[in-house]
Amino acid sequence: MEQQQLMSNKQVILREYVSGRFPTEADMYVNTSNYISLKVPPPQGSTVLVKNLYLSCDPMMRFLIMDNSHHRMAKYVYCTPGSPICGYGVAKVLDSSHPEFKQGDLLVWGLIRWEEYSFITNPESLIKIRHTDTDVPLSYCTGILGKQKRREAKQLVKREEEKAAAALLMAASTGGGVGAEDVVRNNQVILRDYVSGFPKESDMQVTTGTTKLKLPEGSTAGVLVKNLYLSCDPYMRGRMTKRDPGASYVDSFNAGSPITGYGVAKVLESANPKFKQGDLVWGMTGWEEYSIITATDSLFKIHNTDVPLSYYTGILGMPGMTAYAGFYEVCSPKKGETVYVSAASGAVGQLVGQFAKLSGCYVVGSAGTKEKVDLLKKKFGFDGAFNYKEEPDLDAALKRFFPEGIDIYFENVGGKMLDAVLPNMRVHGRIAVCGMISQYNLEQPEGVHNLMYLVIKQVRMEGFLVFNYYHLYGKFLEMVLPAIKEGKITYVEDVVEGLESAPAALIGLFAGRNVGKQVVLVSQE
């Protein structure tokens, strides 16, 4: 047959049977190299060729991707490794050798394969759609209009599915003294080993395990939580390197264990009188679906839920408090002062710039792409912004924006940027050192040569840790919540979905791939 008579036919292929564990996306793949002739080849007897319009995702499909060759329904519904997945759908008949189905406008629903075009050799499983002149969506035939005909098959599948799930959970809880109903899947992001140099996604892995939805016996202060959002933050890079205890303000991660960081979670069980079941919290948690948190002093109860919950990983969480403490408490701004913010489109920088504008200051920020520079000027209201990667002379760039010097520098970058800023500071200027992301992946940090300007211009340069300012959290909320609701402060998030996306999201911080606060959505509440 000539190539021009063939059509591309994408397919969703089952790699292998899935038994005894939760299925994952990796158990399937999309095959784009398959081609099909849009005609029933003779002599095929009762065969129908259809173009698939809608596919239905149903719980019973978990049963179909198991090895069911022994089951009495196998001749009607089954999936085999290396072949397209099977399920219910709506299709249009393109060609037919069956007398009940004809080419043209005939629409059918029934068991089809997850591909663009299908040959159906058991068309007795198909139901004609006769009422296509109504305003009822065709997709309804995968649901409400198909439910009655599928009920018997679904009931059978449900029983088999429940048996399989019960067996899996019982196996997971063997030796634990806990019933199957207490054990659930718990995906985790594990640090494989300690990192030197630039980190890679492969330094982490997503593993699938199980956990008991119950606090350990004897817990006196811990809470069991379901994680909803996780925060990706630059400081986490330092925790991926092995350091001696006390060598940093935060301990290294434990290699071979789940990463930890800030997140938003829902309390499932509590042994702490400050928290009860159903409470929403933000604070330090594990990069996993469920966590037992024993250091509950790091948790804050969420009382205001009329803003996005994800904001508690950013503007209403640690980054927001960092911007507030560094700008207001360390720098003590005055109306009319000049403010420069590096890494200004990030989780902290975007807020510092807006706080500066609310305080009546002139503010300029730098970022690494045109998109981010436009964001600073058009969305966050910065008076000026520049792409530091396009500036061959940072000193000249700063003089262009600050001809009379800088009163406040909010430091996020370090290295060459800090060296260029120092000669451009005004007398009695203040520098709040929040971080130095340009140095985090260097084995030998860059030197800073212009430190003498701290003396010459009597500049105060102060590092700070947000933990020391959490006692001001209530005061912070009193300022920032009304500003959000009145539209005086805006916030940009870069949200990725699924725990499996977390390693790439974290690594992306150090390549500048994120636009705004990087957040991982683990689960909708």
Side-chain angles (χ1 to χ4, degrees), residues 129-198:
I129 300 175
R130 302 183 185 276
H131 301 287
T132 58
D133 56 343
T134 71
D135 58 357
V136 177
L138 281 176
S139 57
Y140 277 20
C141 292
T142 68
I144 186 171
L145 297 182
K147 188 172 182 180
Q148 184 67 31
K149 295 292 184 181
R150 292 181 291 168
R151 182 172 298 159
E152 182 178 350
K154 279 195 154 187
Q155 286 175 342
L156 170 63
V157 169
K158 184 178 180 181
R159 288 196 297 271
E160 296 292 335
E161 199 173 11
E162 288 172 348
K163 290 178 184 177
L168 171 62
L169 294 177
M170 285 300 292
S173 63
T174 298
V178 180
E181 68 276 9
D182 297 318
V183 180
V184 296
R185 179 192 68 186
N186 191 30
N187 286 343
Q188 299 175 312
V189 178
I190 304 294
L191 179 67
R192 291 179 185 271
D193 204 349
Y194 291 113
V195 177
S196 61
F198 204 96

Side-chain angles (χ1 to χ4, degrees), residues 22 169 172-173 178-188 208-216 224-225 268 288-292:
F22 279 82
L169 294 177
S173 63
V178 180
E181 68 276 9
D182 297 318
V183 180
V184 296
R185 179 192 68 186
N186 191 30
N187 286 343
Q188 299 175 312
T208 299
T210 57
T211 190
K212 301 170 187 175
L213 287 187
K214 192 168 183 60
L215 286 170
L224 168 67
V225 301
L268 301 183
E288 54 192 349
E289 292 180 277
Y290 300 91
S291 295
I292 293 176

Side-chain angles (χ1 to χ4, degrees), residues 381-454:
F382 282 56
D383 296 293
F386 64 92
N387 184 343
Y388 70 90
K389 293 180 180 178
E390 295 179 350
E391 298 289 345
D393 186 339
L394 290 174
D395 178 72
L398 292 171
K399 282 182 167 58
R400 188 167 75 245
F401 285 97
F402 299 98
E404 297 183 9
I406 301 167
D407 290 302
I408 293 173
Y409 172 44
F410 200 94
E411 166 69 302
N412 289 310
V413 172
K416 294 181 176 64
M417 183 63 76
L418 176 59
D419 227 15
V421 166
L422 288 170
N424 287 284
M425 293 298 295
R426 298 184 71 179
V427 173
H428 297 302
R430 289 87 72 205
I431 300 175
V433 184
C434 174
M436 295 188 175
I437 196 170
S438 72
Q439 307 301 295
Y440 294 165
N441 298 310
L442 301 180
E443 294 187 13
Q444 291 295 326
E446 295 173 330
V448 178
H449 306 283
N450 288 321
L451 289 175
M452 187 61 189
Y453 282 97
L454 295 175

